[in-house]
Amino acid sequence: MFAMRLMEIHKLERAMTKRMSIKDAMSRKSGVVTRRARQAGVVLVIALIALVAITLAALSLVRSIDTGVMIAGNQAFKESCLGASDVAIEAASSWLSAQATTPGQLDNDNQAAGYYATTMEGCDMTGNRTQTDSSDDVAWGGGAGNANCNAKAQPVNNMPDGYSSSYMITRMCQNPGSANAAGARCASDVMPSQSRFHGTPDYNYRIQNAAERARGTGQASVYYRVVARVVCPRNSTSFVESIVTLQ
């Protein structure tokens, strides 16, 4: 009887020991799973941060490329504007040459042709000198001149498609009338016989009177200032200035 009870106690102890072993194993297994889940969560956060960083870098690269393309396009339009301005400068030079064949044609203003026999220093050619005051601007689009600058430009024909241009010519003299008259003061080149460089004209912008310009062999030519305004595609505008002589 005692022996049977002893055997039952041993069986009960073994059963309890086995149950505790299973419980410990399950607890250890659960701990491993929990640690793995935590590690997987950290990796996910790092992956998301890396993805955001890569996305931002890609967006920055795209914007940089777009900016570069825009700058290149603007530069191309600027160069095309400068090229188109040659048409206006050539038209103004041709008009000057044609008028110079008749004596006295360039002594006075010819507003209808965009020509002025004085420097027109009161005019703001580009509109940037007095940005808040348009009364001294040149009427580049045609029509009547402004209060402080009674000057309008001459439109140019045969411009490339998408371009429009006009020019204004001013003689670099302080007063209208003959540049050879007594008291006339104009900017002109030095005659070849006065030059230091073996017959090559020594150009300068010094205001000279008729007697000073007449020294040497013949009469020196006065300077003419041609300012061309070109309106290009995308509403871009360029101004080009050229100094011309008739010799």
Side-chain angles (χ1 to χ4, degrees), residues 19 35 43 66 101 126 143 151-152 166 176 205 223-224 228:
R19 186 176 298 173
R35 286 195 298 273
V43 171
D66 289 344
T101 58
T126 63
K152 62 180 182 179
S166 54
Y205 288 93
Y223 286 130
Y224 297 87

Side-chain angles (χ1 to χ4, degrees), residues 10 28 53 91 107 133-134 170 172-173 188 203-204 212-213 219 234-236 239 242-243:
H10 285 302
R28 287 194 298 271
D107 292 347
D133 182 10
S134 61
T170 59
M172 305 300 287
C173 293
S188 65
Y203 296 103
N204 63 75
E212 290 174 319
R213 291 198 313 279
Q219 191 74 37
R234 297 186 181 180
N235 294 323
S236 58
F239 289 88
S242 179
I243 303 297

Side-chain angles (χ1 to χ4, degrees), residues 160-171:
D161 292 340
Y163 296 82
S164 63
S165 180
S166 54
Y167 64 80
M168 176 178 170
I169 307 172
T170 59
R171 189 179 64 162

Side-chain angles (χ1 to χ4, degrees), residues 1 3 16 21 40 58 75 93 96 98 119-120 122 156 163 170 192 194 199 208 229 237:
M1 187 73 177
M16 291 180 65
S21 299
Q75 185 65 29
S93 299
L96 276 173
T119 57
M120 302 295 286
V156 179
Y163 296 82
T170 59
Q194 298 173 256
Q208 305 174 47
R229 176 179 179 264
T237 303

Side-chain angles (χ1 to χ4, degrees), residues 34-224:
T34 302
R35 286 195 298 273
R36 289 180 178 175
R38 288 177 181 175
Q39 291 174 354
V42 172
V43 171
L44 178 61
V45 172
I46 294 174
L48 290 174
I49 293 173
L51 181 61
V52 170
I54 293 172
T55 302
L56 293 176
L59 291 175
S60 176
L61 180 61
V62 170
R63 293 189 63 181
S64 176
I65 293 173
D66 289 344
T67 302
V69 171
M70 185 179 298
I71 292 173
N74 290 339
Q75 185 65 29
F77 276 109
K78 181 179 179 180
E79 294 296 331
S80 65
C81 273
L82 291 176
S85 68
D86 290 342
V87 178
I89 299 297
E90 287 296 329
S93 299
S94 298
W95 184 88
L96 276 173
S97 298
Q99 300 302 307
T101 58
T102 304
Q105 282 291 96
L106 299 175
D107 292 347
N108 297 289
D109 295 349
N110 185 347
Q111 192 179 51
Y115 172 79
Y116 301 88
T118 60
T119 57
M120 302 295 286
E121 292 181 358
C123 293
D124 185 1
M125 295 293 183
T126 63
N128 291 326
R129 186 174 63 188
T130 55
Q131 297 183 10
T132 58
D133 182 10
S134 61
S135 65
D136 60 352
D137 290 353
V138 176
W140 290 105
N146 293 309
N148 296 325
C149 177
N150 187 23
K152 62 180 182 179
Q154 172 69 18
V156 179
N157 299 321
N158 301 321
M159 291 295 294
D161 292 340
Y163 296 82
S164 63
S165 180
S166 54
Y167 64 80
M168 176 178 170
I169 307 172
T170 59
R171 189 179 64 162
M172 305 300 287
C173 293
Q174 293 181 341
N175 299 296
S178 174
N180 299 323
R185 298 188 65 82
C186 302
S188 65
D189 61 307
V190 177
M191 289 304 299
S193 62
Q194 298 173 256
S195 176
R196 298 169 296 171
F197 300 105
H198 307 289
T200 302
D202 183 13
Y203 296 103
N204 63 75
Y205 288 93
R206 188 170 69 85
I207 298 295
Q208 305 174 47
N209 58 34
E212 290 174 319
R213 291 198 313 279
R215 290 180 307 188
T217 56
Q219 191 74 37
S221 174
V222 300
Y223 286 130
Y224 297 87

